[in-house]
Amino acid sequence: MCDSCGCPSPSHTHDHDHSHDHDHSSKTVDVHASLFAANDAMAKANRDHFDELGAVALNLISSPGSGKTTLLEHTIEALKGEIKIGVIEGDPETDRDAERIRAKGVPVVQLTTGGACHLDAAMTHKGFHLLEKEPGYEPVDLLFIENVGNLVCPASFDLGEHERVVLVSVPEGPDKPAKYPRTFGTAHTFLITKTDLLPYFDFPVEEARGEALKTNPNLKVMELSSTTGDGFDAWLDYLRAMVKAKKAA
């Protein structure tokens, strides 16, 4: 059971097919603390492993339909031959997003969570080792982890990423930073996507930017459209700078 929202989570289930008289409610806090501690330990191991390999890992978080997979498709096309990219896809069901990424010629692994609303560090650990076994795999410079579409639970689980990127598309409205402060408070970068739709929706960009920076003054904010390419150069330069810094470390 997901301790953030109550959804089914394969990593957190345990068998209760036995009789017992203990009080579950009295142990809830300890169990949750233990789960998060175990996740954080695995996340640190993941991050150490990525560091040893010289790879940058990014955790992409958003609501469904914000354009994460489309962003990845255009990013892979733009950086082809320049930066080696791998992708871990997270979804409740189906491997449709992985098929879209695979068509771009980069290694990808689909993690289906069976209804759970987030990835965790153990899933990421398993996913990365599966990625390394993909045919033709070569060590990657940049690992994208596309989290399950949800702006709540993914914010609570460190996957071992180096930076966390949160996306909000123009049709979703500008109030998401105010409604989901934990998500924006733990992120490093805020992408406003689908800006080609600004003429058709009431989305004051400065309002969204201001709300996000009010929650997290250190947040990097970018606006882009994967459709028109507007703002994409800044996104690509951000990725190039992280990969360059990692190689120089």
Side-chain angles (χ1 to χ4, degrees):
M1 185 76 74
C2 169
D3 42 278
S4 294
C5 70
C7 74
S9 174
S11 293
H12 303 161
T13 56
H14 62 282
D15 186 7
H16 262 118
D17 187 20
H18 60 272
S19 61
H20 51 272
D21 56 5
H22 60 262
D23 180 0
H24 277 196
S25 61
S26 67
K27 296 189 175 182
T28 299
V29 173
D30 288 343
V31 170
H32 287 183
S34 177
L35 285 172
F36 279 114
N39 184 80
D40 289 348
M42 179 60 77
K44 182 181 184 307
N46 288 345
R47 193 159 27 248
D48 289 347
H49 187 55
F50 299 146
D51 286 340
E52 290 170 4
L53 297 175
V56 174
L58 296 183
N59 180 4
L60 305 185
I61 296 175
S62 77
S63 299
S66 67
K68 294 192 297 298
T69 309
T70 302
L71 173 74
L72 290 181
E73 289 177 314
H74 287 265
T75 299
I76 291 164
E77 286 284 354
L79 296 177
K80 187 177 294 182
E82 179 181 346
I83 292 176
K84 293 176 182 174
I85 294 174
V87 180
I88 295 175
E89 288 281 349
D91 273 309
E93 301 291 348
T94 86
D95 62 351
R96 294 179 183 179
D97 287 352
E99 288 301 319
R100 289 172 57 183
I101 297 300
R102 189 169 289 112
K104 295 297 177 183
V106 302
V108 58
V109 165
Q110 178 75 53
L111 298 177
T112 53
T113 63
C117 59
H118 62 272
L119 298 177
D120 63 23
M123 295 178 195
T124 303
H125 180 86
K126 177 183 176 182
F128 187 70
H129 286 303
L130 289 173
L131 190 73
E132 292 178 307
K133 296 177 181 176
E134 283 286 292
Y137 175 84
E138 295 181 13
V140 298
D141 303 313
L142 181 58
L143 174 68
F144 287 107
I145 307 167
E146 184 180 340
N147 218 314
V148 178
N150 185 335
L151 277 176
V152 181
C153 300
S156 297
F157 291 86
D158 184 0
L159 306 182
E161 72 269 21
H162 294 102
E163 293 210 0
R164 187 172 287 189
V165 180
V166 59
L167 292 75
V168 171
S169 67
V170 166
E172 294 176 68
D175 58 354
K176 296 298 180 291
K179 287 185 174 180
Y180 302 95
R182 179 174 177 80
T183 301
F184 286 82
T186 60
H188 299 82
T189 299
F190 172 29
L191 292 186
I192 300 173
T193 61
K194 303 186 182 181
T195 54
D196 52 298
L197 299 178
L198 281 170
Y200 311 106
F201 289 87
D202 181 17
F203 190 103
V205 171
E206 289 309 313
E207 179 184 329
R209 177 190 288 268
E211 290 286 354
L213 291 175
K214 193 186 302 179
T215 299
N216 182 352
N218 297 317
L219 206 57
K220 296 178 281 287
V221 184
M222 292 180 242
E223 305 146 28
L224 60 82
S225 166
S226 296
T227 301
T228 65
D230 289 345
F232 226 78
D233 286 346
W235 164 246
L236 297 177
D237 287 344
Y238 159 74
L239 299 175
R240 290 184 179 109
M242 278 193 294
V243 170
K244 183 178 179 181
K246 178 61 66 180
K247 289 185 178 299

